[in-house]
């Protein structure tokens, strides 16, 4: 059963190079084929379309999750979102995705897209809750293990999401 623990107060900050160590620890706990330090650093420094934010719990200001997305013209592509396993099921993942979408809608995006593993029912449940629907399948998109991706999409009418 997906029962939520008590929710937690979260603050969002742009991800900086100083955050990458902690982000990598969460990344490695979250994925079988995690992004490398180089991948995060190239997103932070070399990709003008890339936006990355960390979520900090407000008591000790520890990073408990992060979200990374691209915005190109009126489209947002969600590249990565993860929450520290010890902090899951408290609404943080949902807040991270809502934050990304609201940031995008505030800058005029009309559509958000993302890929998700076919086996990742937890993330799919989160995305469907936020209004994403399936528009395609990318065959053998992932490695370790090799797996298809579902391509999900959500359209906006220009107003930020509630919540
Ligand atoms: C996906 C992830 C970010 C969710 O973070 P989280 O903080 O635990 O999620 P939330 O507490 O905000 O839950 C939001 C919704 O997600 C879904 N969800 C979360 N945990 C779930 C679980 N264990 N089983 C089923 N659905 C789940 C539910 O729809 C939930 O809404 P509800 O609480 O109203 O039922 C987290 O599990 C994670 O980091 N996973 C590994 C990385 C990953 O898979 N990222 C997505 C790649 S596409």
């Amino acid at each position: 059963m997906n029962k939520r623990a008590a929710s937690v107060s979260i603050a969002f900050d742009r991800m900086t190079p100083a955050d990458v160590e902690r982000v990598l620890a969460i990344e490695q706990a979250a994925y079988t084929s995690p992004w490398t330090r180089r991948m995060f650093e190239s997103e932070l420094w070399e990709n003008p379309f890339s936006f990355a934010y960390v979520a900090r719990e407000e008591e000790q200001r520890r990073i408990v999750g992060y979200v990374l997305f691209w915005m190109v013209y009126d489209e947002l592509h969600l590249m990565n979102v993860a929450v520290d396993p010890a902090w899951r099921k408290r609404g943080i993942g949902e807040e991270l995705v809502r934050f990304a979408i609201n940031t995008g809608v505030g800058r005029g995006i009309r559509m958000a897209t993302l890929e998700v593993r076919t086996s990742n029912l937890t993330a799919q449940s989160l995305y469907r809750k936020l209004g994403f629907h399936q528009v395609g399948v990318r065959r053998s998109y992932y490695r370790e293990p090799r797996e298809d991706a579902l391509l999900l999409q959500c359209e906006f009418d220009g107003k930020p999401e509630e919540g």
Side-chain angles (χ1 to χ4, degrees):
M1 190 173 65
N2 174 37
K3 198 161 187 309
R4 263 195 191 178
S7 60
V8 56
S9 284
I10 290 298
F12 296 99
D13 294 317
R14 278 302 279 263
M15 192 187 292
T16 71
D19 299 328
V20 170
E21 201 64 42
R22 171 80 183 126
V23 164
L24 276 175
I26 297 174
E27 174 79 9
Q28 283 157 13
Y31 295 107
T32 51
S33 181
W35 283 21
T36 61
R37 177 185 300 277
R38 176 78 194 111
M39 288 161 87
F40 279 103
E41 289 179 345
S42 94
E43 291 293 332
L44 292 176
W45 292 327
E46 292 162 21
N47 183 347
F49 299 109
S50 187
F51 295 77
Y53 291 86
V54 292
R56 294 177 194 276
E57 44 85 15
E58 282 199 316
E59 217 161 275
Q60 297 182 12
R61 306 280 303 162
R62 194 169 160 79
I63 294 172
V64 292
Y66 52 89
V67 64
L68 194 148
F69 52 97
W70 290 359
M71 282 197 277
V72 185
Y73 301 107
D74 61 354
E75 217 179 299
L76 181 151
H77 193 78
L78 192 71
M79 298 294 294
N80 197 340
V81 58
V83 172
D84 180 334
W87 289 84
R88 288 186 189 162
K89 291 198 190 175
R90 295 184 184 201
I92 298 171
E94 184 173 332
E95 279 200 57
L96 279 161
V97 179
R98 282 190 192 279
F99 179 83
I101 289 171
N102 283 338
T103 302
V105 170
R107 289 172 178 244
I109 61 131
R110 314 288 295 184
M111 185 169 87
T113 55
L114 60 89
E115 286 94 10
V116 58
R117 280 187 185 268
T118 49
S119 63
N120 192 347
L121 301 182
T122 299
Q124 287 172 39
S125 169
L126 164 60
Y127 298 140
R128 289 188 204 282
K129 182 177 178 185
L130 297 182
F132 284 83
H133 57 97
Q134 186 180 334
V135 292
V137 175
R138 298 199 198 283
R139 298 276 169 223
S140 299
Y141 182 82
Y142 294 104
R143 286 153 203 264
E144 297 170 52
R146 184 171 289 274
E147 190 175 352
D148 296 346
L150 305 185
L151 179 61
L152 305 188
Q153 183 173 304
C154 186
E155 299 82 18
F156 308 101
D157 58 8
K159 289 193 230 99
E161 294 278 289
E162 294 293 319

